[in-house]
Amino acid sequence: GNLVDFNNDLQLHRRLRTHEKREMQKEILSILGLPHRPRPHLLNGKYNSAPLFMLNLYNTINSEERNEVDGILDQYKSMFTTPGPPLATSQDNAYLNDADMVMSFVNLVEYDRELSPHRRHHKEFKFNLSQIPEGEAVTAAEFRIYKECVSSTFRNETFLLSVFQVVGEHPDRDADLFLLESRHLWAVEEGWLDFDITATSNLWVMSPHHNLGLQISVETSSGQNISPREAGLVGRDGALERQPFMVAFFKVSEVHVRTAR
Amino acid sequence: STGKRRQQSRNRSNHPQEAHKGPGHTDYNSSDQKTACRKHELYVSFRELGWQDWIIAPEGYAANYCDGECSFPLNAHMNATNHAIVQTLVHLMNPENVPKPCCAPTKLHAISVLYFDDNSNVILKKYKNMVVRACGCH
């Protein structure tokens, strides 16, 4: 049953009736501040990098009570055969200490759009920030993308990875881009790259119509545009636990008042 | 007298039979003990609620609750506010109109919940005051 009272003489150890269970669900949802029970469309989502990253954060904050959650974490981790789940950095842990809520967002772009020849190697990323609970303010946000070691033509190359915020879209010409950050990468380096997109996320939360996503581009040291995949950057066709995603840290800015029922 | 109580406490801890009674145990008679305000264990299982498809962790949590009587003597092992003592006195003087103090949580603890939203984004949220750590009379 749902209710187990170990000390009381009466012992409430019984299975809840259907309507009792429904009431119980309603009450617990209310405590969690949710208007309804979420119905995620998971398919492969459970095995994606974003949930793994979040599990890692969960593990960090629950390290004191590790024994209680190890079972669940092991269950999840055992689902992965390939190495390299996204680990939280010390910077993430610093954000985490100050956060009331952390949220990871999966990339919604399923198919590459045909961009102009000038931007044919650009990759697009979009994130749905519409379900952020009211009263939560973004304190930090990161865009995370995994880079694998390059062992082909560009082995000894240095790349310039640029991350842009899309600030305007037009039907007849290229989108307007705002450069957020450029970073030099060694071809042989491997691991998660994180880019600070705090200001961009704040804008997206405050004005959802400005949320037109991100784009990335990669250039070689000679200025040649190449596909991010050639530079070892993992995209949708890569391993699930290395998919790019976005993570945001929130602080409650309003007192949550439960409405009377 | 605190001195006398300390002496009693020392004597009690030296008594071999008392070792099994656990922390905070006092020698009130058994009927008082049964009805006294105290913490009761209560586990809320997300799995039993059929939510394992959207709550990733934890599987459930020990919410606990407070229940019992707050009447003189307000048990020495339990937290009672100064006002609870006054409330008890006024209740004794006017039991028809003035209720006894309430048995309620005095120490609460937070838990973190990791769950999916409708868009398959993942939320890790800290919920304050979810677990009752200790009960007392207010």
Side-chain angles (χ1 to χ4, degrees), chain A residues 1-9 15 21 24-25 28-29 31-32 34 36-42 46 51 54-55 57-58 61-62 65 72 76 99-106 128 130-131 136, chain B residues 34 38-61 65 67 109-110 112-128 130 133:
Chain A
N2 293 75
L3 304 172
V4 183
D5 188 328
F6 300 101
N7 288 344
N8 198 322
D9 290 341
R15 213 155 264 289
K21 189 172 170 178
M24 177 86 168
Q25 286 173 333
I28 303 285
L29 279 173
I31 290 170
L32 296 177
L34 297 169
H36 64 272
R37 169 203 196 290
R39 298 206 176 269
H41 307 285
L42 290 177
K46 241 180 188 173
M54 298 296 278
L55 264 174
L57 289 184
Y58 180 87
I61 57 174
N62 282 282
E65 294 141 297
I72 305 161
Y76 265 78
D100 293 309
M101 189 178 92
V102 188
M103 209 167 161
S104 71
F105 303 88
V106 288
N128 185 344
S130 67
Q131 284 205 353
E136 301 281 351
Chain B
K34 271 183 184 173
R38 64 185 173 88
K39 187 180 86 173
H40 295 254
E41 287 182 38
L42 175 80
Y43 186 79
V44 176
S45 168
F46 295 137
R47 184 185 285 270
E48 288 292 326
L49 288 169
W51 285 350
Q52 63 273 43
D53 61 325
W54 67 276
I55 293 193
I56 302 169
E59 198 178 285
Y61 72 104
Y65 68 97
D67 188 36
H109 192 242
S112 294
V113 183
L114 185 65
Y115 61 94
F116 284 105
D117 70 5
D118 289 326
N119 299 316
S120 303
N121 295 325
V122 182
I123 298 171
L124 174 61
K125 196 166 177 178
K126 201 187 290 173
Y127 289 94
K128 289 169 188 162
M130 291 287 274
R133 278 278 174 89

Side-chain angles (χ1 to χ4, degrees), chain A residues 226-247:
Chain A
I226 59 165
S227 134
R229 195 199 298 176
E230 289 179 286
L233 295 163
V234 177
R236 286 188 313 276
D237 48 353
L240 282 171
E241 75 276 17
R242 291 178 180 179
Q243 294 290 307
F245 65 97
M246 179 189 148
V247 60

